Amino acid sequence: MNYRNVVSSFFLGLGIGVVVILASAGAGDPWLWVLTVLASGGIGLLVGLVTEWLTSLLPIRLARPRTYFLLNGLIALVTTAAIMLGLAALAAGTGLGAGPEDGAQDWWPVVGLVLAIVVVANVADYLVFRWTRARLRTVQASLDQASRDQASAEQPEAD
């Protein structure tokens, strides 16, 4: 299991909590904001654990970077959607999302925003991987060239 991704999911969850607070335009008090950010971080940690656990169950023949990132992103998206839809249903069932103005409709933009952030984060993770791999290949090629240049310079000349 890739624990770095789990920790990254936790911090992404914290960031999503901040975005949700900013998107709600000052609803609630500061104590509610702190709880929202912490709950969002906990949800992010749960999503990260489930995603990495399910990804670790995939067969080794799928171990190509593009396939791994695609499947990992899809698993993260489905896991996040399931958790967010469960929370929306829970809120509607407890009365937090119900009422004369049908506040359950207020959850759908939040669910869409969270899923969009998850997609963008996964695409960004893949792009950073590709950039790092290309940079590593460039550095490796320059080291190989330097090694060949040094080897040719150290060979004794024949008299």
Side-chain angles (χ1 to χ4, degrees):
M1 187 178 309
N2 188 347
Y3 293 108
R4 185 189 72 81
N5 284 351
V6 174
V7 172
S8 296
S9 294
F10 170 73
F11 286 110
L12 180 63
L14 291 177
I16 288 173
V18 170
V19 169
V20 167
I21 288 171
L22 294 175
S24 65
D29 59 2
W31 180 246
L32 183 62
W33 299 343
V34 170
L35 288 176
T36 300
V37 170
L38 290 177
S40 183
I43 292 168
L45 184 66
L46 179 65
V47 167
L49 284 170
V50 170
T51 300
E52 289 304 315
W53 175 70
L54 289 174
T55 303
S56 71
L57 297 177
L58 293 174
I60 194 68
R61 62 184 160 81
L62 298 175
R64 289 181 210 85
R66 184 175 294 154
T67 306
Y68 168 81
F69 276 100
L70 176 67
L71 291 175
N72 192 320
L74 288 175
I75 291 170
L77 191 64
V78 168
T79 304
T80 304
I83 289 174
M84 289 301 297
L85 293 175
L87 288 174
L90 180 67
T94 60
L96 293 175
E101 67 279 346
D102 193 20
Q105 297 296 334
D106 294 341
W107 275 86
W108 298 116
V110 173
V111 171
L113 179 66
V114 169
L115 293 178
I117 291 172
V118 169
V119 168
V120 168
N122 280 294
V123 169
D125 192 26
Y126 178 66
L127 292 175
V128 166
F129 166 77
R130 285 188 52 169
W131 178 83
T132 304
R133 185 174 61 177
R135 183 78 178 130
L136 180 62
R137 287 181 177 161
T138 302
V139 169
Q140 188 177 19
S142 67
L143 288 174
D144 288 344
Q145 183 63 36
S147 176
R148 284 191 294 268
D149 292 346
Q150 184 179 11
S152 65
E154 291 177 356
Q155 291 182 358
E157 295 180 21
D159 289 329

mmCIF file of all heavy atoms in Angstrom, residues 5 29-30 48 54 62 70 77 89 112 124 127 135 141:
data_model
loop_
_atom_site.group_PDB
_atom_site.id
_atom_site.type_symbol
_atom_site.label_atom_id
_atom_site.label_comp_id
_atom_site.label_asym_id
_atom_site.label_seq_id
_atom_site.Cartn_x
_atom_site.Cartn_y
_atom_site.Cartn_z
ATOM 1 N N ASN A 5 0.277 8.227 -0.767
ATOM 2 C CA ASN A 5 -1.006 8.578 -1.384
ATOM 3 C C ASN A 5 -2.114 8.707 -0.344
ATOM 4 O O ASN A 5 -3.004 9.536 -0.488
ATOM 5 C CB ASN A 5 -1.398 7.553 -2.443
ATOM 6 C CG ASN A 5 -0.616 7.727 -3.722
ATOM 7 O OD1 ASN A 5 0.105 8.697 -3.907
ATOM 8 N ND2 ASN A 5 -0.749 6.764 -4.617
ATOM 9 N N ASP A 29 -20.695 28.992 12.042
ATOM 10 C CA ASP A 29 -19.719 29.718 12.861
ATOM 11 C C ASP A 29 -18.342 29.075 12.717
ATOM 12 O O ASP A 29 -18.205 28.019 12.108
ATOM 13 C CB ASP A 29 -20.181 29.746 14.318
ATOM 14 C CG ASP A 29 -20.372 28.350 14.904
ATOM 15 O OD1 ASP A 29 -20.105 27.376 14.189
ATOM 16 O OD2 ASP A 29 -20.776 28.243 16.060
ATOM 17 N N PRO A 30 -17.314 29.707 13.268
ATOM 18 C CA PRO A 30 -15.950 29.156 13.118
ATOM 19 C C PRO A 30 -15.796 27.733 13.656
ATOM 20 O O PRO A 30 -15.010 26.962 13.109
ATOM 21 C CB PRO A 30 -15.082 30.143 13.900
ATOM 22 C CG PRO A 30 -15.833 31.431 13.831
ATOM 23 C CD PRO A 30 -17.290 31.043 13.870
ATOM 24 N N GLY A 48 -8.550 7.621 0.757
ATOM 25 C CA GLY A 48 -7.189 7.205 0.430
ATOM 26 C C GLY A 48 -6.914 5.768 0.823
ATOM 27 O O GLY A 48 -6.309 5.007 0.059
ATOM 28 N N LEU A 54 -7.806 -1.107 -2.514
ATOM 29 C CA LEU A 54 -8.362 -1.713 -3.729
ATOM 30 C C LEU A 54 -7.333 -1.741 -4.857
ATOM 31 O O LEU A 54 -7.272 -2.709 -5.619
ATOM 32 C CB LEU A 54 -9.621 -0.964 -4.166
ATOM 33 C CG LEU A 54 -10.845 -1.162 -3.282
ATOM 34 C CD1 LEU A 54 -11.989 -0.257 -3.734
ATOM 35 C CD2 LEU A 54 -11.276 -2.614 -3.273
ATOM 36 N N LEU A 62 -1.273 -5.366 -14.732
ATOM 37 C CA LEU A 62 -1.761 -4.008 -14.993
ATOM 38 C C LEU A 62 -0.781 -2.947 -14.508
ATOM 39 O O LEU A 62 -1.134 -1.778 -14.417
ATOM 40 C CB LEU A 62 -3.110 -3.796 -14.302
ATOM 41 C CG LEU A 62 -4.245 -4.693 -14.750
ATOM 42 C CD1 LEU A 62 -5.481 -4.458 -13.897
ATOM 43 C CD2 LEU A 62 -4.554 -4.462 -16.208
ATOM 44 N N LEU A 70 -4.897 5.509 -14.204
ATOM 45 C CA LEU A 70 -6.289 5.511 -14.629
ATOM 46 C C LEU A 70 -7.160 4.723 -13.651
ATOM 47 O O LEU A 70 -8.200 5.221 -13.183
ATOM 48 C CB LEU A 70 -6.417 4.926 -16.037
ATOM 49 C CG LEU A 70 -7.844 4.796 -16.550
ATOM 50 C CD1 LEU A 70 -8.467 6.170 -16.757
ATOM 51 C CD2 LEU A 70 -7.873 4.003 -17.839
ATOM 52 N N LEU A 77 -12.443 8.062 -7.551
ATOM 53 C CA LEU A 77 -13.662 8.775 -7.929
ATOM 54 C C LEU A 77 -14.911 8.025 -7.475
ATOM 55 O O LEU A 77 -15.830 8.621 -6.901
ATOM 56 C CB LEU A 77 -13.680 8.989 -9.441
ATOM 57 C CG LEU A 77 -14.744 9.930 -9.974
ATOM 58 C CD1 LEU A 77 -14.530 11.334 -9.444
ATOM 59 C CD2 LEU A 77 -14.693 9.937 -11.490
ATOM 60 N N ALA A 89 -27.341 11.455 1.585
ATOM 61 C CA ALA A 89 -28.532 10.712 2.012
ATOM 62 C C ALA A 89 -28.697 10.788 3.526
ATOM 63 O O ALA A 89 -29.813 10.931 4.032
ATOM 64 C CB ALA A 89 -28.433 9.258 1.556
ATOM 65 N N GLY A 112 -20.709 17.580 -6.645
ATOM 66 C CA GLY A 112 -20.064 17.843 -7.936
ATOM 67 C C GLY A 112 -18.719 18.529 -7.772
ATOM 68 O O GLY A 112 -17.744 18.181 -8.448
ATOM 69 N N ALA A 124 -3.583 15.902 -12.121
ATOM 70 C CA ALA A 124 -2.359 16.619 -11.752
ATOM 71 C C ALA A 124 -1.291 15.646 -11.258
ATOM 72 O O ALA A 124 -0.104 15.804 -11.583
ATOM 73 C CB ALA A 124 -2.664 17.669 -10.683
ATOM 74 N N LEU A 127 0.213 14.041 -14.298
ATOM 75 C CA LEU A 127 1.066 14.973 -15.037
ATOM 76 C C LEU A 127 2.392 15.215 -14.319
ATOM 77 O O LEU A 127 3.440 15.308 -14.962
ATOM 78 C CB LEU A 127 0.332 16.290 -15.284
ATOM 79 C CG LEU A 127 -0.856 16.196 -16.247
ATOM 80 C CD1 LEU A 127 -1.576 17.533 -16.321
ATOM 81 C CD2 LEU A 127 -0.420 15.711 -17.613
ATOM 82 N N ARG A 135 12.014 14.308 -16.742
ATOM 83 C CA ARG A 135 13.175 14.994 -16.148
ATOM 84 C C ARG A 135 14.231 13.974 -15.732
ATOM 85 O O ARG A 135 15.430 14.202 -15.927
ATOM 86 C CB ARG A 135 12.712 15.825 -14.955
ATOM 87 C CG ARG A 135 13.779 16.615 -14.309
ATOM 88 C CD ARG A 135 14.091 17.858 -15.098
ATOM 89 N NE ARG A 135 15.101 18.599 -14.388
ATOM 90 C CZ ARG A 135 16.204 19.059 -14.939
ATOM 91 N NH1 ARG A 135 16.404 18.914 -16.233
ATOM 92 N NH2 ARG A 135 17.077 19.696 -14.233
ATOM 93 N N ALA A 141 20.342 10.658 -19.077
ATOM 94 C CA ALA A 141 21.060 10.755 -20.352
ATOM 95 C C ALA A 141 22.287 11.656 -20.223
ATOM 96 O O ALA A 141 23.350 11.338 -20.767
ATOM 97 C CB ALA A 141 20.135 11.285 -21.443
#
